[in-house]
Amino acid sequence: MNPDITRERENATFDVEKLTHILDGGIEKTKRRREIESLVISDPDFQSEDLNFLSRSERYDAAVKKSAQMILKLREYGISDPEEIYCYKSVFRGHHHEALVLHFIMFLPTLYTNCNKEQFKKWVPLAESLKALGTYAQTEMGHGTHLRGLETTATYDPATQEFVMNSPTITSIKWWPGGLGKTSNHAIVLAQLHTQGKCHGLQAFIVPLRSMNTHIPLPGVVVGDIGPKFGFDEVDNGYLKLENVRIPRDHMLMKYAKVEADGTYVKPPSAKLTYGTMVFIRSMIVGEAGHALAKSCTIAIRYSSVRHQSEIRPGEPEPQIMDYQTQQYKLFPLLATAYAYKFVGQYMNQVYHRITGDISQGDFSELPELHALSAGLKAFTTWTASAGIEVCRMACGGHGYSRCSALPDIYVNFVPTCTYEGENTVMMLQTARFLIKSYRQASAGHQLSGIVSYLNESERRLQPQSVSSRPTVVNVNDLASLVDVYKLRAARLVKLAAKSIQQELQKRVSQEDAWNNSAIDLVRASDAHCHYVVVKLFAAKLGEMGDTGIHSVLSTLALLYALQGIQQHSGDFLQTGLLSVPQLSQVSQRLKELLAQLRPNAVALVDAFDYRDEMLNSVLGRYDGNVYEHMFEWARRSPLNKTEVHESYHKYLKPLQAKL
Amino acid sequence: MNPDITRERENATFNVEKLTHILDGGIEKTKRRREIESLVISDPDFQSEDLNFLSRSERYDAAVKKSAQMILKLREHGISDPEEIYCYKSVFRGHHHEALGLHFVMFLPTLYTQCNKEQFKKWVPLAESLKIIGTYAQTEMGHGTHLRGLETTATYDPATQEFVLNSPTITSIKWWPGGLGKTSNHAIVLAQLHTQGKCHGLHAFIVPLRSMNTHIPLPGVVVGDIGPKFGFDEVDNGYLKLENVRIPRDYMLMKYAKVEADGTYVKPPSAKLTYGTMVFIRSMIVREAGRALAKSCTIAIRYSSVRHQSEIRPGEPEPQIMDYQTQQYKLFPLLATAYAYTFVGQYMNQVYHRITGDINQGDFSELPELHALSAGLKAFTTWTASEGIEVCRMACGGHGYSRCSALPDIYVNFVPTCTYEGENTVMMLQTARFLIKSYRQASAGHQLSGIVSYLNESEGRLQPQSVSTRPTVVNINDLASLVETYKLRAAKLVELAAKSIQLELQKRVSQEDAWNNSAIDLVRASDAHCHYVVVKLFAAKLGEIGDTGIHSVLSTLALLYALQGIQQHSGDFLQTGLLSVPQLSQVSQRLKELLAQLRPNAVALVDAFDYCDEMLNSVLGRYDGNVYEHMFEWARRSPLNKTEVHESYHKYLKPLQAKL
């Protein structure tokens, strides 16, 4: 054990193990999680070379192998609870992705929810036994966000009672679905349904892609891998071009909408049902944002405690780099953010499950709010976390750039959350739409409930006042007071955006143009709203903490989170007259004090996340702090070191020397 | 040609070709640059498969091959002017790096400047004919920024007149130098010189690493590749562990310091000489920041003009995504930044060459200021450009994540500039040290000259005043007025940082602790200083432009750059009382107008950077806008598509299906 990191742990002022229990949701859950993690870690079948040393084809190969093994192991261990499966897979994947992921999170669930009885009986057993390996093909080369723009067609032919599937243009080629390229033999394909000469919009169809015997693509199916990406090397994101592919009528998923034998189209009863899955996936992404940032902070903070560099006081030994104020200012707010997002993720998961219960009983009332909130929070957390991972990486200096730090992998595998499952700016504008609608309702005298109830007060309390005449009641040391300030900021920025739309309308442009011409303000309002929600939930979480030591250190973190947000957006708080210039100087001063206050607990706070070395897979983030020996050992395994002299010497350099 | 992008070009209000001449520094230079580019592009020897399809070993192999070819080609074409070589290499490398990079930018120049006469005669011909392939080994596993902390030792043994080189600890292993792992047979090694029982600090030694015949590492030399990284896949960044390696006395570079035969150490005359190279490299990095951002904007803006998505007005066709205000707000300020950094890079290059002339005549007076400025500007521009590349990438939606967009390559190959050649935070603090020193001189009544002369006024003009009583003379439509505002912001933030140090000193802490406890404020002051310099240089550049159309569009860009900086740092401008709340609302409004105003010229402005398709190597950034067909064509070449059925199906999936 590195003596520096031992000393850090000795200086902690709280019980790390207890905080881990809180993060897991109880001591029993921690215990069970560790059991499951040990199953993977101690399993000799899962020992493999660092994926970074393999070619892409080898990485894909390794991912398929692991996925196949895992399915058998989960059965063997009798792990079937979704939370436990998630936990098992988290260890097993590290920062990467599994080959069959879309089969389990999209193909199977869609079959469960969208098959009618006969279809269920036919397809579910095939899919559960992996005879049918499936994926979900929605996005096209030319169409992502805007579902109505998708071009793939399914035209019903009553003569044969078949649908004829086509990709009529280059832009209509299905593009991106995971597992589509090489792995899947079936796909649920979203296509525009044409029957009896009319288009009825998007419907889902089960399309066989490859022979279930030979795995060779079927006639009319042009399928393959879309090529290397920033990350996700293990995954065969694919393309799919359909050329007059015929499928039987009952390959359309018919639980809701139907096409009858003669081609008559029967409408589905309600459209709201699809909201649920989106909300679920987005709340998962918020949790992942917390995870990714927590891992990155673990690596950067542990490394900062064992890395010594330069000097603060001349003549003294080089200090740990964590002693530099600038290093603390980079890392500690991100540590606070990681905690915040973990708590927000937990909250969203709970709300989702509660509301799912309501929905099963036919109560959709809370869905729009949750839907809007999940959109904005997905964007808010993924943007911040992505930028934060890179800050952590660069805070490790040059070594962060090595794949042995694991930080490049964490970044490239997390950052697509900013563009998938709803592009972030689009998500922000979705939340803004809900906020503006709510604001208008409040202005019209309706009493709002739920998280936007603060907009009720907007007309009454938010009259513009000059900074000087306004009583400054904000206490920058009191979290409740800061939650209130964030709330007022959100209220004012929503109002500002609404006013911007109003002004545009006065120029006699259309509603839609007015919206687009105010989009910058709308995103800003959404951002402020999400920020308020996060600060509020973090503060609320503190109320649940009984242990004094933990309550104290988390309160410091929460205060740091809130004050750093104010400092970063100081313009907003000054512009809206919520804080005065002297108060902002206090905020800066207080921030520095909080950094110093957190310094002794930094390592303990990342230890509490409890990521095993095998999960972090980072030389810099090792629990024992013995960074350098292991970096050397890792480097020596680099494929370029397999031979002392690389073949290129004989091929190019020696001949070149002869010519000069 | 895609009709959308043709229409964009028709709508431009200025002459693109003329702007290209300005960027190149004259019509003749544009012509010559294009000639050189054509030499590379039309050369059949340089046609190769996309590097993204190759394994790392294959990429390294390809890079060595290209480097070897290039050396012969440059001779063949008679290209010897450094600028022209740079131009040739820029095309040839794309976004990547060459295998022999450090031989040419560090090894040879160090020999030129630090060899004495006899050494020059011996080593330079060997290095120029590439009998010796060299690199520059300074950074160690445990030591980067702080040169005095380096641990490698060179101990003089008068008995044999040799130096004995050792890596005494694991942290002392040389780590990171490019070309060290497999390519080089010699290195200039920086080591602590010990002679006659005393340590004389760092000196440079030529150390043979590999046999010049067989390329096999010599006894005592443990050398290899440090393993895969975020980018730079083509480069064999290496490690070097020296175990009692003996080299003759005259392998120490002795132009300045010397060790005589009996071991007597002779001191060098001056230490300032090494400044020059650092300043040069940093000014090159600023230029690269402009280029990386210009390339990224070219890709994102061209793609935004051909990509259609969603709807602004219901029922109308999907608009070009560049019509969304949020998209403009992401991209146009970055476009303005790319122009700004390009001009700043040109300026620094000119100043460097001017000052180099002075230095050769013994005049070092301007060096400290340029040194301080280059440090801060390197950090300021690389941070912004790195973030900006990622914004461009994500502005391309999902397709930005594909390697075919080229944006992942641009990012990973540019982002290490934030941590190499001086870690950015350290660089910011270096500039801050100069600013604080200057501030104190001004406070003591000395009259400052040069770029920091604004600190002269600080005592007189910068008394805190409340917002209401201060006359607001700023005209947000006038660039000169905005330059003035940026200047005052810098002055106030330097003053604030100086005061923070003062406050700390009053707590009776040491100077050094006071400095560290104010480091956040110091970085903020440096940042404001650099921002001022960039705005000022951009404004100054406009004065040189005669063409009305070009002057007009560049003025819009410069205004956008200045106003967006104000909006992003609105807290600073409000806090320092330089702008009022109503003025900030004007800024927001004006920004939106400027975005709309730039919209028709966006494609033309990136066209003017004149990156040919072969250099961009981006499917999304193609000049002809025919994105989708080429994306499909690129994907089909993916190595995973070499076989219809991947071997993993037979190895894992089929057996799995049999077991379930």
Side-chain angles (χ1 to χ4, degrees):
Chain A
M1 193 69 69
N2 178 300
D4 284 321
I5 209 163
T6 304
R7 202 174 327 108
E8 293 295 331
R9 293 190 173 115
E10 287 163 2
N11 290 340
T13 64
F14 68 95
D15 185 336
V16 172
E17 181 67 16
K18 277 193 189 160
L19 182 49
T20 302
H21 300 161
I22 292 172
L23 288 167
D24 280 321
I27 184 166
E28 283 307 316
K29 290 210 171 163
T30 301
K31 210 181 128 200
R32 181 64 181 147
R33 175 177 57 74
R34 286 181 182 157
E35 275 169 20
I36 294 172
E37 287 173 4
S38 294
L39 285 178
V40 183
I41 290 166
S42 62
D43 193 329
D45 287 346
F46 287 151
Q47 309 308 316
S48 68
E49 185 50 296
D50 191 320
L51 289 178
N52 282 303
F53 293 150
L54 307 181
S55 74
R56 181 153 176 250
S57 182
E58 290 165 340
R59 287 172 81 147
Y60 170 67
D61 192 277
V64 175
K65 181 178 175 190
K66 270 181 140 189
S67 287
Q69 286 174 326
M70 185 191 60
I71 289 161
L72 297 172
K73 303 260 178 189
L74 284 170
R75 295 208 174 185
E76 188 185 312
Y77 299 130
I79 296 174
S80 59
D81 175 73
E83 282 284 319
E84 296 194 357
I85 292 177
Y86 176 81
C87 170
Y88 190 92
K89 290 188 178 178
S90 299
V91 194
F92 146 94
R93 287 179 298 146
H95 318 297
H96 303 282
H97 296 270
E98 58 168 314
L100 302 177
V101 61
L102 259 71
H103 178 83
F104 292 105
I105 70 165
M106 289 300 292
F107 186 69
L108 262 174
T110 308
L111 293 181
Y112 291 143
T113 54
N114 290 350
C115 281
N116 66 23
K117 265 188 199 152
E118 299 75 48
Q119 291 177 323
F120 196 97
K121 225 183 283 172
K122 173 178 177 183
W123 290 107
V124 168
L126 282 173
E128 286 185 341
S129 66
L130 293 165
K131 296 275 182 295
L133 283 165
T135 184
Y136 189 87
Q138 174 179 301
T139 303
E140 295 173 357
M141 205 195 271
H143 310 276
T145 301
H146 189 58
L147 293 187
R148 272 174 291 162
L150 294 175
E151 296 177 82
T152 305
T153 55
T155 309
Y156 186 63
D157 177 358
T160 59
Q161 297 203 21
E162 288 172 323
F163 291 103
V164 188
M165 311 285 298
N166 266 302
S167 309
T169 60
I170 186 112
T171 45
S172 73
I173 297 173
K174 294 291 178 189
W175 207 263
W176 281 111
L180 174 62
K182 312 305 285 184
T183 314
S184 301
N185 57 21
H186 283 72
I188 290 173
V189 171
L190 278 278
Q192 304 287 354
L193 166 64
H194 293 261
T195 180
Q196 297 179 335
K198 265 189 74 180
C199 177
H200 295 279
L202 279 189
Q203 303 291 335
F205 302 85
I206 300 179
V207 181
L209 305 177
R210 291 171 177 267
S211 151
M212 288 169 76
N213 272 319
T214 63
H215 211 60
I216 291 173
L218 297 170
V221 172
V222 181
V223 70
D225 172 76
I226 62 163
K229 297 147 299 202
F230 203 3
F232 277 62
D233 280 20
E234 299 75 40
V235 180
D236 56 325
N237 298 77
Y239 59 78
L240 170 64
K241 189 162 175 285
L242 296 165
E243 296 170 346
N244 286 311
V245 173
R246 289 185 163 258
I247 54 172
R249 183 173 65 94
D250 64 1
H251 277 39
M252 171 177 155
L253 293 178
M254 298 226 208
K255 183 160 182 189
Y256 302 107
K258 288 181 191 53
V259 171
E260 291 176 354
D262 66 349
T264 308
Y265 174 72
V266 183
K267 268 212 289 196
S270 159
K272 276 191 183 162
L273 290 156
T274 52
Y275 270 20
T277 319
M278 277 198 279
V279 169
F280 176 69
I281 289 178
R282 287 174 194 161
S283 73
M284 289 292 289
I285 292 177
V286 173
E288 287 298 324
H291 251 15
L293 206 45
K295 283 181 182 176
S296 305
C297 287
T298 303
I299 296 165
I301 286 177
R302 284 184 184 159
Y303 179 61
S304 296
S305 78
V306 301
R307 173 81 174 179
H308 290 256
Q309 200 69 192
S310 297
E311 49 188 24
I312 294 176
R313 305 180 198 91
E316 291 190 11
E318 297 184 77
Q320 293 161 282
I321 58 174
M322 198 148 64
D323 286 335
Y324 290 95
Q325 190 183 60
T326 46
Q327 188 79 350
Q328 296 170 8
Y329 190 59
K330 284 176 194 171
L331 297 178
F332 296 174
L334 290 174
L335 176 61
T337 307
Y339 271 92
Y341 292 178
K342 286 214 161 206
F343 296 142
V344 175
Q346 287 176 356
Y347 166 85
M348 294 204 32
N349 199 274
Q350 287 157 11
V351 176
Y352 171 74
H353 284 296
R354 179 169 57 73
I355 292 188
T356 307
D358 296 345
I359 291 173
S360 328
Q361 289 158 35
D363 174 5
F364 291 89
S365 59
E366 285 194 75
L367 198 52
E369 174 177 321
L370 185 62
H371 183 246
L373 183 64
S374 71
L377 280 178
K378 180 263 186 188
F380 182 81
T381 57
T382 56
W383 266 333
T384 315
S386 295
I389 297 164
E390 279 294 88
V391 171
C392 288
R393 190 180 63 71
M394 291 194 252
C396 296
H399 293 329
Y401 191 73
S402 170
R403 291 267 171 186
C404 77
S405 76
L407 290 162
D409 280 330
I410 296 176
Y411 183 68
V412 296
N413 285 300
F414 180 75
V415 74
T417 57
C418 294
T419 43
Y420 69 41
E421 296 298 333
E423 192 276 327
N424 274 358
T425 303
V426 175
M427 292 296 95
M428 280 296 195
L429 289 170
Q430 231 171 66
T431 297
R433 205 169 280 282
F434 181 73
L435 293 172
I436 293 294
K437 199 175 135 195
S438 303
Y439 174 82
R440 287 179 179 162
Q441 287 173 344
S443 303
H446 295 283
Q447 190 68 17
L448 302 173
S449 64
I451 200 117
V452 289
S453 57
Y454 66 84
L455 294 171
N456 289 327
E457 309 160 13
S458 60
E459 286 312 300
R460 224 169 348 101
R461 275 179 59 182
L462 299 178
Q463 296 310 318
Q465 290 174 297
S466 79
V467 182
S468 46
S469 64
R470 222 182 127 269
T472 47
V473 290
V474 181
N475 177 354
V476 299
N477 288 308
D478 175 32
L479 198 56
S481 178
L482 295 175
V483 172
D484 217 49
V485 175
Y486 271 94
K487 185 173 86 178
L488 292 171
R489 167 181 173 239
R492 293 192 181 201
L493 293 185
V494 171
K495 188 176 181 180
L496 213 74
K499 274 193 176 164
S500 166
I501 295 174
Q502 214 49 46
Q503 277 174 11
E504 288 293 323
L505 287 173
Q506 283 163 10
K507 294 184 201 160
R508 295 173 177 272
V509 303
S510 67
Q511 274 286 354
E512 294 76 21
D513 284 333
W515 179 267
N516 186 34
N517 294 344
S518 307
I520 297 171
D521 306 294
L522 289 161
V523 170
R524 194 174 161 207
S526 271
D527 189 85
H529 174 73
C530 294
H531 213 150
Y532 157 61
V533 171
V534 174
V535 174
K536 182 186 147 94
L537 291 175
F538 200 162
K541 188 74 191 179
L542 293 178
E544 300 173 19
M545 306 283 162
D547 184 287
T548 349
I550 290 173
H551 188 276
S552 161
V553 71
L554 287 187
S555 299
T556 309
L557 271 185
L559 200 57
L560 178 70
Y561 180 76
L563 291 179
Q564 201 246 358
I566 289 177
Q567 172 145 311
Q568 279 192 321
H569 300 90
S570 56
D572 283 358
F573 291 92
L574 289 172
Q575 212 180 336
T576 51
L578 293 166
L579 288 175
S580 64
V581 170
Q583 279 177 322
L584 266 189
S585 304
Q586 278 175 43
V587 168
S588 299
Q589 193 50 41
R590 191 78 185 95
L591 265 175
K592 292 186 201 169
E593 291 163 17
L594 291 173
L595 295 177
Q597 207 172 312
L598 277 170
R599 168 71 186 79
N601 278 320
V603 167
L605 280 166
V606 299
D607 284 351
F609 292 134
D610 200 26
Y611 292 114
R612 301 263 304 253
D613 283 347
E614 292 83 355
M615 292 174 71
L616 283 180
N617 196 30
S618 166
V619 166
L620 302 187
R622 292 175 60 88
Y623 184 83
D624 67 10
N626 292 328
V627 165
Y628 297 114
E629 330 38 337
H630 289 93
M631 202 181 326
F632 191 39
E633 191 245 313
W634 182 88
R636 299 196 81 157
R637 279 167 25 222
S638 168
L640 279 191
N641 294 330
K642 275 191 188 139
T643 54
E644 280 283 16
V645 179
H646 193 267
E647 54 180 339
S648 58
Y649 170 75
H650 300 289
K651 281 155 72 181
Y652 316 117
L653 292 179
K654 204 151 171 87
L656 172 69
Q657 288 168 333
K659 281 184 204 160
L660 292 173
Chain B
M1 194 68 69
N2 178 299
D4 285 322
I5 209 162
T6 304
R7 202 172 328 108
E8 294 294 334
R9 293 192 173 113
E10 286 163 3
N11 290 339
T13 63
F14 67 95
N15 184 323
V16 172
E17 181 66 16
K18 277 193 189 162
L19 181 50
T20 302
H21 300 162
I22 292 172
L23 288 168
D24 280 320
I27 186 165
E28 284 307 315
K29 290 209 172 165
T30 300
K31 208 178 132 204
R32 180 65 182 145
R33 175 178 58 74
R34 287 183 181 154
E35 276 169 19
I36 293 173
E37 287 174 3
S38 296
L39 286 178
V40 183
I41 291 166
S42 61
D43 192 330
D45 289 345
F46 288 150
Q47 310 308 317
S48 70
E49 185 50 298
D50 191 320
L51 290 178
N52 282 304
F53 294 149
L54 307 181
S55 75
R56 181 155 177 250
S57 183
E58 289 164 343
R59 289 172 80 145
Y60 170 67
D61 192 278
V64 175
K65 182 179 174 190
K66 271 181 139 188
S67 286
Q69 285 174 325
M70 185 190 62
I71 289 162
L72 297 172
K73 303 261 178 187
L74 283 170
R75 295 207 174 184
E76 189 185 309
H77 298 309
I79 296 173
S80 59
D81 176 73
E83 277 289 319
E84 295 195 358
I85 292 177
Y86 175 83
C87 171
Y88 189 91
K89 289 189 178 178
S90 299
V91 195
F92 146 96
R93 285 180 299 148
H95 319 296
H96 302 283
H97 295 270
E98 59 169 313
L100 302 176
L102 259 70
H103 179 81
F104 293 105
V105 303
M106 288 300 293
F107 187 71
L108 263 174
T110 308
L111 292 181
Y112 291 145
T113 54
Q114 302 205 39
C115 282
N116 65 26
K117 267 190 197 151
E118 299 75 46
Q119 291 176 326
F120 197 97
K121 225 183 284 172
K122 172 177 179 181
W123 293 108
V124 167
L126 283 170
E128 285 184 342
S129 66
L130 288 164
K131 295 277 178 298
I132 282 182
I133 300 170
T135 183
Y136 189 87
Q138 175 178 301
T139 303
E140 296 173 358
M141 204 196 271
H143 309 277
T145 302
H146 190 59
L147 293 187
R148 271 174 292 162
L150 294 175
E151 296 177 82
T152 305
T153 55
T155 308
Y156 186 65
D157 176 0
T160 59
Q161 297 204 22
E162 288 173 323
F163 290 102
V164 188
L165 279 109
N166 266 302
S167 309
T169 61
I170 185 113
T171 44
S172 74
I173 297 173
K174 294 291 179 189
W175 206 264
W176 282 112
L180 174 62
K182 312 304 287 184
T183 315
S184 301
N185 57 21
H186 283 68
I188 289 173
V189 171
L190 277 280
Q192 304 289 353
L193 165 64
H194 293 262
T195 180
Q196 298 180 334
K198 263 190 76 181
C199 177
H200 295 279
L202 279 189
H203 289 80
F205 302 84
I206 299 178
V207 181
L209 304 177
R210 293 171 176 268
S211 151
M212 287 168 73
N213 272 319
T214 64
H215 211 59
I216 290 172
L218 298 170
V221 173
V222 181
V223 71
D225 172 75
I226 62 162
K229 296 146 300 206
F230 204 2
F232 277 63
D233 280 21
E234 298 76 40
V235 180
D236 56 325
N237 299 79
Y239 59 77
L240 171 64
K241 189 163 176 284
L242 296 165
E243 297 171 345
N244 285 311
V245 172
R246 289 183 163 260
I247 54 172
R249 182 173 66 93
D250 63 2
Y251 279 35
M252 171 176 154
L253 294 178
M254 299 224 209
K255 182 160 182 191
Y256 302 107
K258 288 181 191 56
V259 171
E260 292 177 351
D262 65 350
T264 307
Y265 176 73
V266 184
K267 270 213 288 197
S270 159
K272 275 192 185 161
L273 290 156
T274 52
Y275 271 18
T277 318
M278 277 199 279
V279 169
F280 175 68
I281 289 179
R282 286 175 195 160
S283 73
M284 289 293 287
I285 291 176
V286 172
R287 174 173 169 175
E288 287 300 323
R291 285 174 71 94
L293 207 46
K295 285 182 182 176
S296 305
C297 286
T298 303
I299 296 166
I301 286 176
R302 285 187 184 157
Y303 179 61
S304 296
S305 78
V306 300
R307 173 81 174 178
H308 291 255
Q309 200 68 193
S310 297
E311 49 188 24
I312 295 175
R313 305 182 198 92
E316 291 191 11
E318 298 183 78
Q320 294 162 283
I321 57 174
M322 198 148 64
D323 286 335
Y324 291 95
Q325 190 184 59
T326 46
Q327 188 78 349
Q328 296 170 9
Y329 189 58
K330 284 175 195 174
L331 297 178
F332 296 173
L334 289 174
L335 176 61
T337 307
Y339 271 92
Y341 292 179
T342 303
F343 296 141
V344 174
Q346 288 175 354
Y347 167 85
M348 288 186 62
N349 198 271
Q350 288 158 10
V351 176
Y352 171 74
H353 285 296
R354 179 168 56 74
I355 293 189
T356 307
D358 295 344
I359 291 174
N360 294 338
Q361 289 159 35
D363 174 6
F364 291 89
S365 60
E366 284 195 74
L367 199 52
E369 176 178 318
L370 184 63
H371 182 246
L373 182 64
S374 71
L377 280 178
K378 179 263 185 189
F380 181 81
T381 57
T382 56
W383 266 332
T384 314
S386 294
E387 276 176 31
I389 296 164
E390 277 293 88
V391 171
C392 288
R393 189 180 64 71
M394 292 194 253
C396 296
H399 293 328
Y401 191 74
S402 169
R403 292 268 170 184
C404 77
S405 75
L407 289 162
D409 280 332
I410 296 175
Y411 183 67
V412 298
N413 285 300
F414 179 74
V415 74
T417 56
C418 295
T419 43
Y420 69 42
E421 297 298 332
E423 191 278 328
N424 273 358
T425 303
V426 175
M427 291 297 95
M428 281 295 193
L429 289 170
Q430 230 172 67
T431 298
R433 205 170 281 282
F434 181 73
L435 292 173
I436 294 294
K437 198 176 135 194
S438 303
Y439 173 83
R440 287 179 179 160
Q441 288 172 345
S443 303
H446 296 282
Q447 190 67 17
L448 302 173
S449 64
I451 199 117
V452 289
S453 57
Y454 64 84
L455 293 171
N456 288 326
E457 307 160 9
S458 59
E459 288 308 295
R461 276 177 59 179
L462 299 177
Q463 296 308 319
Q465 288 176 296
S466 79
V467 182
S468 47
T469 61
R470 225 183 124 267
T472 48
V473 290
V474 181
N475 176 355
I476 63 156
N477 288 308
D478 175 32
L479 199 55
S481 177
L482 295 175
V483 172
E484 189 69 12
T485 308
Y486 271 95
K487 184 174 90 176
L488 291 172
R489 167 181 173 239
K492 295 210 175 188
L493 292 185
V494 171
E495 186 174 31
L496 214 73
K499 279 193 177 158
S500 166
I501 296 174
Q502 214 50 48
L503 275 169
E504 288 293 324
L505 287 173
Q506 283 163 11
K507 295 183 200 162
R508 296 173 176 275
V509 302
S510 66
Q511 274 286 353
E512 293 78 19
D513 285 334
W515 178 266
N516 186 36
N517 294 344
S518 307
I520 297 171
D521 306 295
L522 289 161
V523 170
R524 195 175 160 206
S526 272
D527 189 84
H529 173 73
C530 293
H531 212 150
Y532 156 61
V533 171
V534 174
V535 174
K536 182 185 148 96
L537 291 175
F538 200 163
K541 187 75 193 180
L542 293 178
E544 300 173 18
I545 291 163
D547 184 285
T548 348
I550 291 173
H551 189 276
S552 162
V553 70
L554 288 186
S555 299
T556 309
L557 271 184
L559 201 56
L560 178 70
Y561 180 77
L563 291 180
Q564 200 246 359
I566 289 176
Q567 171 144 309
Q568 280 193 319
H569 299 90
S570 57
D572 283 0
F573 291 91
L574 289 172
Q575 213 180 336
T576 50
L578 293 166
L579 288 174
S580 65
V581 171
Q583 278 176 321
L584 266 189
S585 305
Q586 280 175 41
V587 167
S588 300
Q589 195 49 42
R590 192 78 185 96
L591 265 175
K592 292 185 202 170
E593 292 163 17
L594 291 172
L595 295 177
Q597 206 171 311
L598 277 170
R599 169 70 186 79
N601 279 321
V603 167
L605 281 166
V606 298
D607 283 351
F609 291 131
D610 200 26
Y611 292 113
C612 54
D613 284 346
E614 290 81 357
M615 288 175 73
L616 280 181
N617 194 31
S618 166
V619 166
L620 302 187
R622 291 175 63 87
Y623 185 81
D624 67 10
N626 292 330
V627 166
Y628 297 114
E629 338 26 345
H630 288 93
M631 203 182 322
F632 191 37
E633 192 246 312
W634 182 85
R636 297 196 83 157
R637 279 166 27 221
S638 168
L640 278 191
N641 293 330
K642 275 190 188 140
T643 55
E644 280 283 14
V645 178
H646 193 265
E647 53 179 340
S648 59
Y649 171 75
H650 300 290
K651 281 155 73 182
Y652 316 116
L653 290 179
K654 206 155 169 82
L656 172 68
Q657 289 168 333
K659 282 184 203 159
L660 293 173

